[in-house]
Amino acid sequence: MGVKKKKEMQVAVLTICCQDLETLKSFADVEGKNLASLLLRCVQLTDGVSQIHYVKQIVPLLEKVDKNGVCDPTIQSCLDILAGIYLSLSLKNPLKKVLASSLNSLPEFFLPEAVHRFTSRLQEELNTTDLYSYRKVMDNISSCMENFNLGRAGVNNLLKNVLHFLQKSLIEILEENRKRAGNHIIQTQLMNDLLVGIRVSMMLVQKVQDFQGNLWKASNSPIWQNMCGLLSIFTKFLSHDDLLQTVQSTSGLAIILFIKTIFHPSEKIPHLISSVLLRSVDCTSVPEWFMSSCRSLCCGNVSGSAVLFLCQGTLAMLDWQNGSMGRSGEALLLDTAHVLFTLSSQIKEPTLEMFLSRIMASWTNSAIQVLESGSPSLRDSLNGNSSIVGRLLEYVYTHWEHPLDALRHQTKIMFKNLLQMHRLTVEGAVLVPDPFFVKLTESLLRLEWHIKGKYMCLGCLVECIGIEHILAIDKTIPSQILEVMGDQSLVPYASDLLETMFKNHKSHLKSQTAESSWIDQWHETWVSPLLFILCEGNLDQKSYVIDYYLPKLLSYSPESLQYMVKILQTSIDAKTGQEQSFPFLGSCNSRGALGALMACLRIARAHGHLQSATDTWENLVSGARIKQGLIHQHCQVRIDTLGLLCESNRSTEVVTMEEMQWIQFFITYNLNSQSPGVRQQICSLLKKLFCRIQESSQVLYKLEQNKSKHEPEKKLTKQHPSVSLQQYKNFMSSICDSLFEALFPGSSYSTRFSALTILGSIAEVFHVPEGKCLIMLGEIIFFFQNILILHFALFEVSVLLPFFEVLFLPYNSCLYIMKFANKGQKKLSPFSLIIICQPQSVIFMNYAYYGKSSSSYLPNLFVAVLR
């Protein structure tokens, strides 16, 4: 595998106008050491990354200048050009952030001049009349407010002009959008510009310090007039159905923010907003500026979507923490809930449904903030038995299986928040048995397990009140959930719920007692039902439990493996005539306890929960049990047992002598599998084993070479590396002999297929550079680049050749085809060897077979052929 090349950073080159370029040339000194020379060299570069290096040298150079340098025309001009460079860069150009970071470190005595120069350049930007340049100006205003001191100061100095520009640009862009009706590409671009303009307006209100006081709130103030003008524009956007919904929703946020900023006194803001949401505004009691800016919200027929977006703004832009809005804020919160309930029965459009679900989830967050402030008046209105919570639960039940993932996620947030709300209303009382929680738990448990939303709600309930209270109602819940895991559509929900439950139960039991006896109760609750399914469940149940639930259980509680092994071993050893908790060894139709044991051990080893293979064979399972699994009547038991031997979480884990013997034993009896799927799994697992041998042999070889310097091999293997390497050599030699011998004439197709595929895996794993001979593991097994040895009857060539050709992609590949005499003959006749060296040439040779093993005569044959 090649090394992935690191992606180079792309930085657009900064440029300046001809006038600024001439200015720099005129001020650059002969030695090239002043600021003008530095900037000149920078702008003349054609690589943006290199320009970053020069930009970072600006401030260090200015730090060497004394205070009198402020009056230097060179520095003044350079500061002016730097301001122009900043405003000319695009928002996403890294140079913009680098320049801002550098200018933030300007010596203090340069700041007044720098702010003056920056303000002048920003004013020029605001004076632009090109509609399609407005977006660039908006981006600059936004970037000035983000961690850039000079920019923020410039915006503060030009606040009136900035607000006027935003008001003018939004009006003109909206008109241009109307003129471009039908041109969807241009309209989309323009509406995105509107969205940016709204967001920049909100950013100004939130970040500019001038809005914190009341000096600008005089009706004749230009800032006040611009703010009212912008509020009027946002109100128009809110009801403009031809605009994108994101523009409308952001306008709803901006309206509430601007009302909060402009309206005085602030104590009356909740009442005003509540009357707008309920469409009950008294036009005679509201200020004139509000009627002028928001007339359509007071007297017009406000659409449901507009009200929805105003609810969003109410929840997002007002301060619900610490009860700062008092009783009127609490009333507004309740009114908002009733408005949302009304809208939920009216809104049918999918996108608005998504907005509604997010806003209702946001409402529950605001309710929690108010309750946390200690509001006694809201406890009766927001406890679990209240009408509001009942309506919210109804919404959750209605939408918990909605086709949209995002909407289902919002129902989960709502349900979790509802539980938290009730806990806050009964704070100080005993939560369990709390009538609301008991009733809610019982109602959920009565539902069918095929309802996916049930799993989500039960998971939230467990996190809130603990699993022990749910188990007190029904102890069979773990078994019930495991029973439904035969349905693939329910498996992820069921496994996640079980994980939440057993984690919560273990934490609770550990906190209740310091003794270790609690683990028996935990095993009885969560592990025993699992073992029952593994032994007696149907095929789908077992497969999904092994794939989804078992890894999670072992990952959280690795020590439970010993309990599983003990129970299953006891079941296997039990006599057939005795009463048993689990089935016996199993049959061709059942995996039984032995299959469950092998599956548990395989998953545990693959996820790294077994300390070492040697400890496993010595302490957990015997060699006789392994052999039982390798020749079990049920194919999946054989596969799981083979997987236990082949798979490991460490690719360099040494293959033990016992494992190699068992693999040889397995190959002897399992090459003739009639199931294509089983053959494919066998070949895949053996390939993993060969990869382990290949990688661990490299480590062993290095350890052997460096054994004089250190002895880390003790961590890898208990025996000397050379011993393990020799065992590898003998094992691979024996494997190849067995595979070659399985290719005698008359052997079944499945046997030949398995043997050839495994040989192909060996050739692929132990790969060598072209033209070189690999003497693998001490000159025992010989392979050449792109050479595979194939034994079969000559009359089958036409049938199997297409399969073989797939394996030999390079032009110079060699295909050896050997025809053996039948093994049953007393006197072995010669066989033909066909060597296809190139597509155009075929060479025939006669070679006598004298009964020697293939690994003993093939190397000599290879040498003869290559010569």
Side-chain angles (χ1 to χ4, degrees):
M1 181 178 177
V3 179
K4 187 176 181 181
K5 188 175 181 181
K6 188 177 180 180
K7 187 177 180 181
E8 295 182 358
M9 182 174 60
Q10 300 294 324
V11 181
V13 180
L14 66 83
T15 57
I16 58 177
C17 64
C18 295
Q19 182 178 351
D20 288 342
L21 183 61
E22 293 301 323
T23 301
L24 289 178
K25 290 180 178 179
S26 64
F27 284 112
D29 59 355
V30 178
E31 295 82 5
K33 294 183 179 180
N34 66 357
L35 182 58
S37 301
L38 178 66
L39 292 179
L40 183 60
R41 290 196 299 272
C42 179
V43 299
Q44 288 176 339
L45 292 172
T46 59
D47 176 23
V49 176
S50 301
Q51 287 179 326
I52 290 178
H53 174 70
Y54 279 89
V55 168
K56 291 181 178 180
Q57 299 180 37
I58 293 173
V59 171
L61 192 150
L62 289 175
E63 288 175 344
K64 299 176 181 179
V65 180
D66 57 21
K67 295 182 179 180
N68 296 327
V70 177
C71 302
D72 187 349
T74 300
I75 292 180
Q76 292 177 347
S77 298
C78 289
L79 290 174
D80 183 69
I81 292 172
L82 284 171
I85 289 174
Y86 179 85
L87 295 173
S88 68
L89 294 171
S90 67
L91 189 63
K92 296 182 179 181
N93 194 329
L95 271 166
K96 198 177 189 78
K97 290 186 178 180
V98 173
L99 182 57
S101 177
S102 296
L103 293 178
N104 279 340
S105 303
L106 273 178
E108 188 174 352
F109 50 85
F110 282 115
L111 290 179
E113 181 65 23
V115 170
H116 170 69
R117 298 291 178 171
F118 196 90
T119 303
S120 299
R121 288 280 187 160
L122 182 58
Q123 181 63 66
E124 294 177 8
E125 290 277 307
L126 296 174
N127 292 336
T128 184
T129 57
D130 180 12
L131 184 141
Y132 289 94
S133 296
Y134 288 167
R135 172 62 180 273
K136 178 174 172 291
V137 181
M138 293 176 184
D139 288 341
N140 274 326
I141 296 172
S142 174
S143 63
C144 285
M145 301 303 297
E146 293 287 347
N147 302 317
F148 184 34
N149 299 333
L150 294 182
R152 189 178 293 111
V155 171
N156 275 323
N157 292 340
L158 298 172
L159 182 58
K160 175 185 69 174
N161 307 69
V162 171
L163 291 172
H164 177 73
F165 166 79
L166 290 171
Q167 183 180 354
K168 177 192 71 168
S169 61
L170 290 175
I171 293 173
E172 292 182 12
I173 293 173
L174 182 64
E175 178 62 20
E176 182 70 11
N177 181 70
R178 184 189 65 80
K179 293 178 181 179
R180 296 283 187 166
N183 190 334
H184 300 300
I185 296 178
I186 298 297
Q187 280 192 307
T188 300
Q189 178 185 341
L190 291 170
M191 282 189 272
N192 283 324
D193 293 346
L194 289 177
L195 183 62
V196 172
I198 299 170
R199 288 174 175 169
V200 171
S201 302
M202 295 171 63
M203 180 185 290
L204 286 174
V205 173
Q206 292 171 318
K207 293 193 173 184
V208 173
Q209 293 181 352
D210 287 358
F211 288 112
Q212 307 303 320
N214 295 319
L215 296 177
W216 59 275
K217 291 187 177 181
S219 57
N220 58 350
S221 166
I223 296 179
W224 170 275
Q225 294 172 358
N226 287 323
M227 290 284 288
C228 292
L230 285 170
L231 180 59
S232 177
I233 294 172
F234 300 150
T235 305
K236 187 175 182 179
F237 289 171
L238 181 67
S239 305
H240 201 307
D241 292 334
D242 292 333
L243 296 178
L244 294 173
Q245 284 184 339
T246 49
V247 175
Q248 292 179 289
S249 65
T250 309
S251 297
L253 297 173
I255 288 171
I256 301 300
L257 176 62
F258 271 58
I259 291 175
K260 173 186 173 183
T261 306
I262 298 174
F263 195 86
H264 187 77
S266 59
E267 294 78 10
K268 295 184 178 181
I269 292 176
H271 177 72
L272 173 65
I273 295 177
S274 182
S275 63
V276 171
L277 296 179
L278 296 172
R279 308 176 197 183
S280 60
V281 177
D282 182 2
C283 298
T284 61
S285 62
V286 296
E288 182 180 350
W289 64 265
F290 186 81
M291 283 297 300
S292 175
S293 301
C294 306
R295 181 174 298 276
S296 61
L297 301 180
C298 300
C299 308
N301 184 19
V302 185
S303 65
S305 62
V307 176
L308 179 65
F309 297 139
L310 286 174
C311 289
Q312 181 185 23
T314 300
L315 297 169
M317 291 298 155
L318 298 183
D319 185 12
W320 298 100
Q321 293 181 338
N322 305 322
S324 57
M325 291 188 289
R327 291 292 182 89
S328 59
E330 296 173 1
L332 173 59
L333 183 69
L334 299 178
D335 289 340
T336 305
H338 291 298
V339 171
L340 291 173
F341 293 145
T342 303
L343 292 174
S344 67
S345 62
Q346 299 174 352
I347 291 176
K348 304 300 179 185
E349 185 184 345
T351 53
L352 288 179
E353 279 188 317
M354 190 64 249
F355 273 111
L356 176 63
S357 67
R358 282 203 299 262
I359 294 168
M360 293 186 75
S362 176
W363 184 91
T364 59
N365 286 324
S366 300
I368 288 175
Q369 291 177 347
V370 176
L371 288 172
E372 286 177 339
S373 66
S375 172
S377 59
L378 274 183
R379 291 188 175 183
D380 293 336
S381 302
L382 297 181
N383 66 36
N385 300 312
S386 65
S387 60
I388 289 180
V389 171
R391 294 285 297 274
L392 289 170
L393 281 173
E394 181 182 345
Y395 180 88
V396 171
Y397 297 153
T398 305
H399 294 84
W400 62 8
E401 291 196 13
H402 196 277
L404 292 176
D405 289 342
L407 199 148
R408 293 199 304 272
H409 178 68
Q410 297 302 323
T411 61
K412 179 178 181 180
I413 294 174
M414 290 173 59
F415 188 82
K416 185 178 292 187
N417 287 346
L418 289 178
L419 301 178
Q420 177 66 13
M421 286 164 53
H422 182 72
R423 290 192 64 166
L424 290 170
T425 61
V426 296
E427 190 172 2
V430 179
L431 287 178
V432 179
D434 177 85
F436 170 72
F437 286 131
V438 172
K439 181 180 178 182
L440 183 61
T441 303
E442 291 176 344
S443 65
L444 287 173
L445 293 178
R446 282 195 298 268
L447 296 174
E448 296 292 334
W449 285 105
H450 70 269
I451 300 174
K452 297 174 183 175
K454 175 178 179 176
Y455 299 88
M456 174 269 294
C457 289
L458 282 175
C460 296
L461 201 56
V462 168
E463 293 174 351
C464 180
I465 65 174
I467 183 60
E468 65 277 4
H469 306 297
I470 300 176
L471 290 175
I473 298 175
D474 190 348
K475 293 183 178 180
T476 65
I477 289 176
S479 298
Q480 294 179 39
I481 301 175
L482 287 170
E483 284 291 336
V484 303
M485 289 193 71
D487 186 344
Q488 186 178 14
S489 63
L490 299 175
V491 168
Y493 302 94
S495 61
D496 287 345
L497 176 59
L498 285 169
E499 182 180 17
T500 301
M501 287 180 165
F502 69 63
K503 284 183 176 180
N504 184 277
H505 195 207
K506 187 173 183 179
S507 299
H508 170 73
L509 292 175
K510 288 177 69 175
S511 65
Q512 294 298 310
T513 176
E515 300 177 0
S516 60
S517 58
W518 62 266
I519 193 65
D520 296 330
Q521 181 183 350
W522 190 83
H523 282 155
E524 185 64 28
T525 305
W526 303 105
V527 182
S528 294
L530 163 69
L531 299 180
F532 183 83
I533 291 294
L534 292 180
C535 293
E536 288 195 341
N538 61 47
L539 179 61
D540 288 338
Q541 281 179 325
K542 294 177 182 178
S543 300
Y544 294 135
V545 166
I546 290 172
D547 291 341
Y548 287 86
Y549 179 50
L550 183 57
K552 292 181 178 180
L553 186 68
L554 288 175
S555 178
Y556 182 69
S557 180
E559 63 274 12
S560 298
L561 179 63
Q562 290 188 350
Y563 173 80
M564 298 179 187
V565 172
K566 178 182 177 182
I567 295 296
L568 293 172
Q569 294 266 36
T570 302
S571 180
I572 296 171
D573 293 335
K575 295 181 180 180
T576 308
Q578 295 178 339
E579 293 186 3
Q580 303 171 39
S581 300
F582 305 99
F584 191 53
L585 287 178
S587 64
C588 60
N589 297 320
S590 173
R591 301 185 194 181
L594 180 60
L597 175 63
M598 294 306 160
C600 292
L601 290 172
R602 178 185 181 183
I603 292 296
R605 186 176 192 187
H607 289 78
H609 302 311
L610 295 181
Q611 295 297 325
S612 70
T614 303
D615 293 337
T616 302
W617 316 139
E618 291 177 355
N619 301 324
L620 287 180
V621 61
S622 65
R625 198 77 76 204
I626 295 293
K627 286 189 175 182
Q628 281 181 324
L630 291 174
I631 56 174
H632 195 275
Q633 293 181 3
H634 197 287
C635 61
Q636 190 58 48
V637 178
R638 299 197 301 271
I639 292 297
D640 285 336
T641 310
L642 179 63
L644 168 62
L645 301 176
C646 295
E647 294 177 326
S648 173
N649 66 313
R650 293 187 293 118
S651 63
T652 59
E653 183 179 359
V654 172
V655 182
T656 66
M657 191 63 194
E658 294 89 349
E659 289 173 323
M660 289 186 278
Q661 291 172 350
W662 293 329
I663 294 293
Q664 186 71 53
F665 176 78
F666 175 85
I667 289 178
T668 303
Y669 293 99
N670 288 276
L671 286 181
N672 194 28
S673 176
Q674 300 303 305
S675 170
V678 172
R679 291 199 301 267
Q680 186 177 10
Q681 291 185 71
I682 290 173
C683 296
S684 175
L685 290 172
L686 288 175
K687 185 174 181 179
K688 290 183 179 179
L689 178 76
F690 298 147
C691 290
R692 265 181 62 199
I693 290 175
Q694 197 270 343
E695 294 190 26
S696 61
S697 64
Q698 292 180 359
V699 176
L700 289 169
Y701 179 76
K702 290 180 180 178
L703 290 175
E704 185 179 21
Q705 297 297 314
N706 301 328
K707 61 184 178 182
S708 60
K709 299 179 181 178
H710 49 76
E711 296 182 355
E713 64 268 13
K714 293 181 181 179
K715 300 179 180 180
L716 187 71
T717 177
K718 293 183 177 180
Q719 60 190 8
H720 197 277
S722 61
V723 177
S724 297
L725 287 172
Q726 185 61 45
Q727 290 174 353
Y728 280 180
K729 299 171 188 177
N730 299 336
F731 171 67
M732 291 304 299
S733 176
S734 178
I735 286 288
C736 289
D737 280 344
S738 299
L739 295 174
F740 283 131
E741 290 172 0
L743 296 172
F744 61 88
S747 60
S748 66
Y749 171 81
S750 56
T751 300
R752 292 196 307 274
F753 181 92
S754 300
L756 292 172
T757 305
I758 297 169
L759 284 169
S761 297
I762 295 174
E764 181 182 348
V765 172
F766 300 100
H767 184 73
V768 292
E770 184 174 356
K772 294 184 178 180
C773 173
L774 170 62
I775 305 177
M776 191 195 73
L777 304 174
E779 303 181 1
I780 296 298
I781 302 169
F782 290 71
F783 284 105
F784 291 88
Q785 171 69 8
N786 303 315
I787 296 178
L788 181 62
I789 315 303
L790 308 173
H791 300 243
F792 50 87
L794 190 57
F795 67 88
E796 295 173 327
V797 173
S798 59
V799 179
L800 299 179
L801 193 57
F803 167 75
F804 300 141
E805 287 177 345
V806 176
L807 300 176
F808 307 112
L809 300 180
Y811 179 77
N812 62 344
S813 297
C814 299
L815 177 61
Y816 292 83
I817 303 174
M818 298 183 182
K819 180 183 178 183
F820 278 97
N822 291 330
K823 283 191 172 182
Q825 296 178 353
K826 294 182 179 179
K827 185 177 181 181
L828 296 176
S829 60
F831 65 88
S832 299
L833 172 62
I834 304 174
I835 305 174
I836 306 175
C837 295
Q838 298 292 347
Q840 299 83 2
S841 61
V842 178
I843 304 174
F844 292 88
M845 297 179 61
N846 288 325
Y847 192 83
Y849 179 67
Y850 297 104
K852 297 181 181 179
S853 67
S854 24
S855 62
S856 63
Y857 69 79
L858 284 175
N860 296 326
L861 177 59
F862 288 160
V863 173
V865 170
L866 291 176
R867 287 177 180 174

